[in-house]
């Protein structure tokens, strides 16, 4: 398993400990039978690493196989693996795109941007400001002129951001 | 693993280091609440703090400590003892407050340091160290300042190209996923909101624009105001200083106000003027960042004015002092009175020494002499020397003091300057604290707690909460630092004092900002590199260094105090040291090095080097901007490519014809038109039901257009004319098709048309013989309707098109709309075609306009019918009327467009008649046939004729149409070309005003008639006319019935 992630065996074990902690009654410590166990979103979101993150729900949802936010242990490890320091920029960009794509249509459209902004700023901006920022952001990054950001647009933009790697990163 | 470990260790170390960065958390907190602008002030403050720490260490370690440890203790030498007559008052608060008494004879000031060349057992060369450190303070400041500036500019250079994704990054990269602490999350959220707001403000600033003239005049006015206030403040300071000196001279007792007048006035000016400047800056309507810079520069000038007026006054005193010393060097007594008298001229003097002096003034000369310790002989000598002194100095007001001082003491002007600077610094600190407490804190309290019991809202109206004024505060820091630099040489402890002051300021300010200030209303980002602050600081450093250097070089050091006492010049210590303490060869080398033989070439070399580096920097700047430009163009190219790709995708399904046509220019269009036209000629008559067989949809259109003619031809006896028309039509159609090609989406539209046509055909064909015409009409109306309704803009675009030759633009448009509005584009194309037609036929536009809405089409017919109905007597008139009625701005615009197009290639213009004009085409053809001989001049006529004709043609089914096909074709072509140009002019004239146009048309119509008549006469085709008329009426009826 650990060649699929950026974690060492030890770290995976530690992660499993955390995973187990989240729902001790659900998760067995012994994975030899490969049981199909999933932890619901509500529990994961309460992890201290995610608790303050405005996109916590989206993070968990985009890493869950079923899209509902229920994470198996594999999903769980994947999540922290992508968010770890070791993950390459491309991988991070893919998942960042998924996280910001609220309506899962493979495009970051204006509504997605508005949601992102509102979560980010806790709705402190006026609608006009939000509107302006959304338009500007799309205008800046939209290369193919379809008024929404495809992944190519997003990656192009994010790959030039100086602090993306350092901020899109959760230490666990 | 090792690298990982290293990473971890470095991260931990980094975290620890952050803990040790002073006030880092505090600044971060402020930054998250107030934005980077306010934080930049605190960061600047911290940086200054760092510099002062180093300066303090330098002076402390190399001057103060050695003197304290190894120098002779207090009271052992004359320069270290308080004179007896001042001993009594040495501990008074007044004396201490004015830095007299014990403070004056302490390590704080220059005068305390001894001039023994080597002190202590180690033989520390204190005088040399004093001089070296004094210079090193400046050198270090310069170096750190320049290095910081270089670093900042490097950062700003590397960061400048990243501005393209401001908003995206602020949205997508803003959140730090590492944050797990609620407080940090909150402050991060606040910081994000702030940064986004900053970006928004910047964006809005970009959009703002007002009339240039008003702006310029406003700015000129503002600058005049600022200049006035600057000169005013300088004059006031000068006036006050002058007055205080006079008062000191004339009045025995000075009131408290008179004593402190200067300092109060100066501090009032420094407090009020910046706010006035801020008000003025609002007039100018600069970008906030620019206005901030202006504000800073102005305040800096103000502060400099104040500082320099003070310095000049000081140096003035020093000048008179040293000259007095040179005259009367015999004074042995130490007293502070001399210093006190000097200090009277400075604003900040609060000392009580002045009264002493004034008392002395009152007392008689002899009395003062008696009081003094000096022997009578020295007194006499000084008095005798007084007279020449007076003559020399011409400073009447100081004469008395000079007398006193000379008789009393050995003046130590260095100590005096140091005292003044320290005093200035202290008073500045007091004022700062007071202003923070009064202006910010008390005001905040009042606003907060009295707003309930006040009739207006204190918080949002008048007093409000104080804003944190970055400009002023930064300037204040710079001003403060300038005082330190100015006084550091004369008061070695000044940097240490400044460190304390800065620490206090940091805490007080940050507390005030967080408790009683509100964020600046216009948040904006301080430029990432604070180079502007640093530039001002550098400026300040240079200006503050000048007086010190000047004093060092120009004035003779005090005779009986300080490390350089007994020397002719302060810098003599260097040469003396070299001569005495270094081996002989070194002094020889030094004499060589300092001789002009070496210095001049070295200077030249330096200049050359500077020039060389400067030119390199300039060229680098140029290449840098070029690279940036290249990057930008490449990025836009990328965008274009993407657009093109997308366009290609869209076009791919639509058929191969479009692509080549898109690429092809007018010429290609022409060729295609020709190519298309011949087949039509051949088969148009018979072909009309086989539109499909022309591979291109465009052709099908042409065919459809030709169809009506064909039926007519078939029905009419004059079959020969039909082919001619068809040819004409075909050509115009082809041209139209070309235009249509240019836009990718055209094909789809055309396809639709084709579909429409068949349907109508089917419907109409059954009804009547005139059905053909009706169909043609329908086609016309229908298409126009769709076009017009959908595209008012498109018209303009089309008109612009010729200029647009770039495929990218068109493709882009198509791309945007392609899916939803594919039809539109097609329509646009048709429009162009029509416009082209239009130039020839004004009618068509009318139809379009009428047809604006599909439902209206039906109505249009009736109108036309009406027009036509009256016509029969005068065909030409009727069409005009209709034109007049219906003409609108859009028409004019379309005309223009058509004209432009027509201007290019004539053949094309010939071809202008589009499918939409079937009717018009037929008319044209008729006209051409009829007018075949008229040629050039008739274009306008032709147009109108056509306008008239279409209807007539339609109605008069084929009666007049087919005369002489063979010659008609060439003729018509010729005609069309000239006509286009003429029509252009006419249309242009008409385009301006509807009415005008209508009148023009009238005229033209009339001409047309004549011509028409002529043509008729010539051609002897009167029949055709009549038939046409008849036809028209008939057709109208038919149409009506159809409708």
């Amino acid at each position: 398993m650990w060649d699929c992630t950026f974690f060492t065996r030890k770290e995976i074990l530690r992660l499993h400990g955390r995973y187990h902690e989240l729902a001790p009654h659900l998760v067995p410590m012994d994975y030899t039978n490969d049981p199909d166990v999933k932890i619901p979103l509500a529990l994961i979101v309460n992890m201290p690493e995610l608790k303050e993150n405005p996109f916590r729900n989206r993070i968990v949802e985009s890493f869950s196989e079923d899209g509902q936010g229920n994470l198996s242990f594999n999903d769980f490890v994947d999540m922290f693996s992508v968010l770890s320091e070791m993950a390459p920029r491309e991988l991070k960009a893919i998942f960042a795109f998924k996280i910001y794509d609220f309506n899962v249509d493979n495009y970051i459209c204006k509504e997605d941007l508005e949601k992102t902004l509102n979560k980010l700023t806790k709705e402190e901006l006026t609608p006009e400001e939000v509107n302006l920022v959304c338009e500007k952001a799309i205008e800046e990054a939209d290369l193919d002129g379809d008024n929404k950001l495809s992944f190519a647009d997003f990656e192009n933009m994010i790959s030039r951001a100086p602090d993306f790697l350092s901020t899109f990163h959760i230490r666990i | 693993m090792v690298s990982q470990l290293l990473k971890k260790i470095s991260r931990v170390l980094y975290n620890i280091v952050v803990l040790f960065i002073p006030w880092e958390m505090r600044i971060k907190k402020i930054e998250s609440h107030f934005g980077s602008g306010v934080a930049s002030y605190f960061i600047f403050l911290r940086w200054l703090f760092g510099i002062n720490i180093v300066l303090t260490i330098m002076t402390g370690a190399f001057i103060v400590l050695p003197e304290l440890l190894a120098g002779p203790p207090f009271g052992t030498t004359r320069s270290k003892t308080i004179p007896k007559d001042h001993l009594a008052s040495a501990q008074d608060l007044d004396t201490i407050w004015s830095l007299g008494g014990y403070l004056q004879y302490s390590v704080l000031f220059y005068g305390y340091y001894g001039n023994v060349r080597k002190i202590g057992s180690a033989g520390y060369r204190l005088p040399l160290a004093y001089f070296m450190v004094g210079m090193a303070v400046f050198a270090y400041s310069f170096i750190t300042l320049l290095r910081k500036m270089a670093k900042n500019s490097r950062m700003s250079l590397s960061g400048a190209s990243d501005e393209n994704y401001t908003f995206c990054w602020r949205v997508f990269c803003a959140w730090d996923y590492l944050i797990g602490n609620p407080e940090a999350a909150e402050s991060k959220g606040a910081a994000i909101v702030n940064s986004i707001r900053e970006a928004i403000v910047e964006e809005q600033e970009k959009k703002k624009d007002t009339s240039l003239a008003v702006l310029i005049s406003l700015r000129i006015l503002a600058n005049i105001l600022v200049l006035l206030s600057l000169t005013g403040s300088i004059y006031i300071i000068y006036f006050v200083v002058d007055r205080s000196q006079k008062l000191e001279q004339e009045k025995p007792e000075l009131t408290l106000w008179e004593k402190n007048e200067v300092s109060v006035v100066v501090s009032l000016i420094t407090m009020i003027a910046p706010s006035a400047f801020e008000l003025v800056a609002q007039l100018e309507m600069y970008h906030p960042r620019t206005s901030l810079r202006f504000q800073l520069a102005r305040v800096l000038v103000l502060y400099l004015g104040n500082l320099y007026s003070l310095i000049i006054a000081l140096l003035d005193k020093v000048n008179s002092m040293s000259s007095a010393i040179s005259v009367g060097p015999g004074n042995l007594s130490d007293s502070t009175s001399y210093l006190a008298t000097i200090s009277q001229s400075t604003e900040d003097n609060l000392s009580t020494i002045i009264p002493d002096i004034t008392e002395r003034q009152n007392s008689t000369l002899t009395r003062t002499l008696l009081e003094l310790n000096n022997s009578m002989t020295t007194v006499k000598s000084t008095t005798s020397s007084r007279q020449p002194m007076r003559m020399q100095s011409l400073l009447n007001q100081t004469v008395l003091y000079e007398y006193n001082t000379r008789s009393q003491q050995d003046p130590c002007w260095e100590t005096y300057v140091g005292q003044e600077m320290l005093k200035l610094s202290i008073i500045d600190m007091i004022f700062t604290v007071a202003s923070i407490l009064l202006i910010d804190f008390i005001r905040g309290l009042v606003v907060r707690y009295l707003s309930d019991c006040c009739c207006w809202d204190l918080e949002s109206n008048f007093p409000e909460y104080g804003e944190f004024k970055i400009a002023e505060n930064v300037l204040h820091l710079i001003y403060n630092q300038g005082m330190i630099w100015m006084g550091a040489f004369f008061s070695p402890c000044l940097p240490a004092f400044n460190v304390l002051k800065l620490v206090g300021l940091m805490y007080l300010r940050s507390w005030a900002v967080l408790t009683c200030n509100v964020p600046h209303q216009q948040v904006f980002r301080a430029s990432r590199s604070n180079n502007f602050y640093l530039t001002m600081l550098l400026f300040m450093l240079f200006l503050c260094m000048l007086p010190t250097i000047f004093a060092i070089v120009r004035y003779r050091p005090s005779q009986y105090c300080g490390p350089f006492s007994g020397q002719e010049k302060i810098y003599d210590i260097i040469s003396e040291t070299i001569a005495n303490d270094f081996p002989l060869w070194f002094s020889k080398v030094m004499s060589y090095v300092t001789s002009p033989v070496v210095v001049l070439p070295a200077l030249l070399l330096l200049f050359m080097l500077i020039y060389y580096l400067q030119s390199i920097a300039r060229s680098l700047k140029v290449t840098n901007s070029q690279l940036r430009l290249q990057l930008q163009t490449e990025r836009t190219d990328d965008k274009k490519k993407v657009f093109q790709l997308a366009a290609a995708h869209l076009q791919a399904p639509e058929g191969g014809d479009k692509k080549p046509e898109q690429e092809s220019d007018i010429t290609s269009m022409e060729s295609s038109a020709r190519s298309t036209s011949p087949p039509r000629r051949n088969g148009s008559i018979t072909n009309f039901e086989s539109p499909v067989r022309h591979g291109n949809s465009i052709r099908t259109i042409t065919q459809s257009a030709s169809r009506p003619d064909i039926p007519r031809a078939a029905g009419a006896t004059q079959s020969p004319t039909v082919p001619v028309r068809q040819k004409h039509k075909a050509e115009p159609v082809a041209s139209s098709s070309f235009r249509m090609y240019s836009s990718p989406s055209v094909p789809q539209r055309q396809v639709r048309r084709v579909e429409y046509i068949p349907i109508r055909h089917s419907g109409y064909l059954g009804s009547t013989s005139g059905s053909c015409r009706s169909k043609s009409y329908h086609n016309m109306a229908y298409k126009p309707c769709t076009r017009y309704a959908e595209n008012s803009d498109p018209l303009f675009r089309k008109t612009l098109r010729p200029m647009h030759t770039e495929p990218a633009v068109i493709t882009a448009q198509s791309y945007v709309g392609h899916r939803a509005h594919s039809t539109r584009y097609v329509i646009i194309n048709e429009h162009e075609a029509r416009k082209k037609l239009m130039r020839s036929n004004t009618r068509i536009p009318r139809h379009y306009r009428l047809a604006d809405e599909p439902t209206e089409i039906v109505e249009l017919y009736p109108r036309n019918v009406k027009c036509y109905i009256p016509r029969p007597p005068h065909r030409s008139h009727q069409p005009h009327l209709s034109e007049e009625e219906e003409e609108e701005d859009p028409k004019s615009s379309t005309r223009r467009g058509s004209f432009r197009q027509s201007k290019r290639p004539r053949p094309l213009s010939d071809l202008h008649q589009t499918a939409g004009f079937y009717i018009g085409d037929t008319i044209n053809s008729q006209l051409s046939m009829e007018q075949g001989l008229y040629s050039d001049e008739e274009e306008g006529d032709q147009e109108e004729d056509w306008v008239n004709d279409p209807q007539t043609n339609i109605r008069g089914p084929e009666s007049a149409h087919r005369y002489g096909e063979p010659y008609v074709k060439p003729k018509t072509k010729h005609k069309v070309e000239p006509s286009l140009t003429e029509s252009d002019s006419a249309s242009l004239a008409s385009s301006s005003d509807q009415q005008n146009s209508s009148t023009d048309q009238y005229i033209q119509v009339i001409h047309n008639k004549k011509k028409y008549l002529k043509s008729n006469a010539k051609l002897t085709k009167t029949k055709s006319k009549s038939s046409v008329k008849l036809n028209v009426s008939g057709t109208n009826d038919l149409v009506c019935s159809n409708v």
Side-chain angles (χ1 to χ4, degrees), chain A residues 85 100 136 140 160 167, chain B residues 11 167 172 177 203 635:
Chain A
E85 262 177 306
Y100 294 125
K136 279 282 151 198
E140 281 167 4
R160 297 178 199 199
T167 58
Chain B
R11 200 195 297 143
F167 282 96
F172 292 122
Y177 282 64
E203 198 58 36
R635 198 166 288 173

Side-chain angles (χ1 to χ4, degrees), chain B residues 435-562:
Chain B
S435 74
I436 288 174
L437 286 182
L438 280 176
I439 294 181
D440 288 329
F441 186 61
I442 303 290
R443 177 171 157 197
L445 282 183
V446 166
V447 171
R448 175 73 186 79
Y449 292 108
L450 295 187
S451 62
D452 294 337
C453 47
C454 199
C455 46
W456 72 88
D457 188 6
L458 286 175
E459 291 189 16
S460 59
N461 282 323
F462 166 55
E464 293 181 321
Y465 291 108
E467 275 185 355
F468 186 81
K469 287 174 186 154
I470 305 165
E472 256 184 65
N473 288 316
V474 165
L475 244 299
H476 175 254
L477 280 185
I478 289 172
Y479 173 62
N480 177 57
Q481 191 59 39
M483 291 187 303
I484 302 308
W485 279 322
M486 219 180 243
F489 186 78
F490 305 109
S491 169
C493 289
L494 210 49
F497 169 76
N498 199 37
V499 165
L500 295 181
K501 182 178 172 180
L502 288 178
V503 171
L505 205 59
M506 168 65 96
Y507 282 105
L508 192 66
R509 271 251 184 263
S510 59
W511 165 79
V513 161
L514 287 174
T515 52
C516 39
N517 278 359
V518 291
H520 206 278
Q521 276 179 347
Q522 269 199 323
V523 270
F524 58 91
R525 189 180 36 150
S527 58
R528 188 186 273 169
S529 62
N530 295 326
N531 258 2
F532 186 68
Y533 296 161
L534 295 177
T535 315
M536 285 195 304
L537 193 65
L538 190 69
F539 188 56
M540 198 70 178
L541 172 59
F542 180 70
L543 288 181
C544 291
M545 200 180 66
L546 278 186
T548 309
I549 299 290
F550 181 76
I552 288 173
V553 174
R554 175 81 174 71
Y555 295 123
R556 214 183 148 192
S558 306
Q559 285 295 317
Y560 299 105
C561 67

Side-chain angles (χ1 to χ4, degrees), chain A residues 11 48-49 52-55 59 83 85-86 99-100 108 113 116-117 120-122 124-125 129 132-133 136-137 139-145 149 154 156-158 160-164 166-171, chain B residues 1 4 7-8 11 15 162-183 185-186 188-190 192-193 196-197 200 203-204 207 635 638-640 642-643 646 815-816:
Chain A
E11 282 169 322
E49 284 83 1
E52 295 301 331
N53 198 313
F55 307 111
I59 295 175
L83 289 171
E85 262 177 306
M86 256 61 81
I99 288 169
Y100 294 125
I108 293 183
L113 261 172
T116 310
L117 258 181
L120 205 54
T121 61
K122 308 206 175 85
E124 276 189 45
L125 294 178
E129 285 173 326
L132 182 81
V133 172
K136 279 282 151 198
E139 188 182 301
E140 281 167 4
D142 184 19
L143 287 183
D144 48 15
L149 305 186
F154 185 80
N156 187 33
M157 179 270 294
I158 214 80
R160 297 178 199 199
D163 46 5
F164 170 66
S166 62
T167 58
F168 195 74
H169 161 210
I170 290 180
R171 216 174 287 147
Chain B
M1 292 306 283
Q4 211 175 323
K7 247 185 195 172
K8 266 183 189 167
R11 200 195 297 143
N15 287 339
D162 296 337
E163 292 298 307
N164 296 317
Y165 292 114
T166 344
F167 282 96
C168 279
W169 290 347
R170 272 161 211 249
V171 174
F172 292 122
C173 306
W175 187 258
D176 191 342
Y177 282 64
L178 284 169
I179 287 176
N181 167 5
E183 278 177 29
E186 194 180 314
K188 183 72 183 174
I192 289 170
V193 171
I196 289 177
R197 284 236 169 90
I200 291 174
E203 198 58 36
Q204 284 167 343
K207 288 177 190 164
R635 198 166 288 173
D638 275 355
K639 279 197 181 182
K640 269 184 197 166
V642 176
F643 278 137
Y815 192 84
V816 175

